[in-house]
């Protein structure tokens, strides 16, 4: 496996693969890889001739008071994981390689004005812009994203459809710790007491998953799920919301495919979790 830091090097390697008629899978990440990322890379390796993993910590998706500088990084561990799963390239450019006085930003309207977009107003502009750039650099056949960032995945699907980007987007299921906590690079910020407290998210998610029903009022489910979280003194709810799975708009009655999503602070650490429900698919 090669660690590549320049756009020109990625392009040259991918060009050679393409000339040989080989397929390219792409897993965009911000590094500090965990089993959730490993599941994306494994799937990409299983489904493509070659796989590129990017580990660029994208500054443009962090707000001015967010954790860009503190964001955890471990290039050697990331490279070892990518190599062990069978990725061909780990692309880790410097910010200067990716951004040179940029004047273009990719914005998917409306969908970013819900859920995480309310407290992180520039976040999805930064995500869409960097993902567009990465797609243009890597030119993958298929790109793999985690369903834990469900709003991000929905927005990227819409961006790819609206801009006729010539690739397939695959969403992969949330990977959880044995006790239920969704895997996240930010879990490393948690103290032992906060790590225990963070289980209120998955407890609430599992409750919601078990109790959601067609025709139910969205507010009733949101309140019941919030009640589980407020019992935890270290937790502070940013939102617990039922939204339309495609548009991210609020719903009143659960009568269509929905995303049930939450963002909760445990101490200073902001964690997200979610599940999806489709009335047309019977529950497992
Ligand atoms: O999900 C992430 O890790 C990031 O938002 C992404 C898609 C790699 C863009 O920086």
């Amino acid at each position: 496996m090669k660690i590549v830091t320049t756009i020109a090097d990625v392009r040259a390697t991918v060009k050679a693969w393409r000339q040989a008629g080989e397929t390219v899978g792409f897993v965009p990440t911000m590094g500090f890889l965990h089993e959730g990322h490993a599941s994306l890379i494994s799937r990409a390796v299983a489904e493509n001739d070659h796989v590129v993993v990017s580990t660029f910590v994208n500054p443009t998706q962090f707000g001015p008071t967010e954790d860009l500088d503190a964001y955890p990084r471990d290039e050697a561990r990331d490279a070892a994981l990518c190599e062990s799963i069978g990725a061909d390239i780990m692309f880790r450019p410097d910010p200067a390689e990716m951004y040179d006085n940029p004047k273009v930003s990719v914005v998917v309207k409306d969908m970013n004005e819900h859920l995480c977009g309310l407290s992180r107003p520039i976040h999805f502009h930064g995500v869409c812009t960097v993902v567009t750039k990465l797609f243009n650099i890597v030119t993958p056949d298929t790109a793999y994203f985690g369903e834990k960032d469900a709003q991000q995945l929905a927005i990227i699907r819409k961006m790819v459809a609206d801009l006729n980007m010539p690739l397939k987007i695959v969403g992969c299921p949330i990977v959880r710790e044995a006790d239920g906590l969704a895997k996240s690079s930010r879990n490393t910020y948690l103290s032992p007491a906060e790590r225990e407290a963070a289980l209120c998210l998955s407890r609430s998610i599992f409750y919601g998953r078990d109790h959601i029903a067609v025709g139910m009022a969205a507010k009733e489910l949101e309140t019941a799920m919030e009640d589980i979280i407020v019992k935890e003194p270290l937790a502070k709810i940013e939102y617990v919301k039922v939204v339309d799975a495609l548009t991210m708009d609020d719903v009143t009655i659960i009568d269509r495919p929905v995303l049930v999503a939450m963002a909760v602070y445990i101490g200073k650490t902001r964690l997200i979790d979610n599940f999806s429900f489709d009335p047309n698919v019977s529950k497992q």
Side-chain angles (χ1 to χ4, degrees), residues 117-155:
L118 291 174
S119 67
R120 310 187 73 193
I122 57 140
H123 174 68
F124 291 114
H125 307 344
V127 169
C128 288
T129 305
V130 81
V131 168
T132 300
K133 288 166 71 68
L134 290 166
F135 286 171
N136 284 337
I137 294 163
V138 178
T139 63
D141 297 284
T142 309
Y144 299 79
F145 291 85
E147 288 173 354
K148 183 160 116 7
D149 294 300
Q151 185 178 15
Q152 167 174 282
L153 177 57
I155 287 175

Side-chain angles (χ1 to χ4, degrees), residues 29-32 55-73 92 95 99 105 116-117 119-130 149 152 184-186 189 265 268 270:
T29 78
M30 294 205 301
F32 211 70
T55 58
F56 177 58
V57 182
N58 173 38
T60 68
Q61 68 190 72
F62 289 79
T65 59
E66 291 180 357
D67 57 344
L68 172 61
D69 292 337
Y71 198 81
R73 293 156 165 92
R92 181 149 192 116
Y99 295 109
S105 176
C116 295
S119 67
R120 310 187 73 193
I122 57 140
H123 174 68
F124 291 114
H125 307 344
V127 169
C128 288
T129 305
V130 81
D149 294 300
Q152 167 174 282
S184 164
S185 304
R186 290 190 168 98
Y189 298 156
Y265 278 91
K268 289 199 166 92
R270 184 178 180 280

Side-chain angles (χ1 to χ4, degrees), residues 24 38 65 93 109 129-130 132 143 160 162 190 199 202 258 262 267 272-273:
V24 181
T65 59
K109 286 189 286 185
T129 305
V130 81
T132 300
V160 165
D162 276 15
L190 301 168
L199 291 176
S202 48
V258 292
M262 61 175 60
I272 56 173
D273 204 343

Side-chain angles (χ1 to χ4, degrees), residues 6 19 33 35 70 73 78 92 102 128 143 165 174 207 212 260 272:
T6 69
Q19 280 168 347
L33 305 175
E35 287 91 331
R73 293 156 165 92
D78 288 349
R92 181 149 192 116
C128 288
M165 292 178 168
I174 296 175
Y207 175 91
I212 193 166
V260 183
I272 56 173

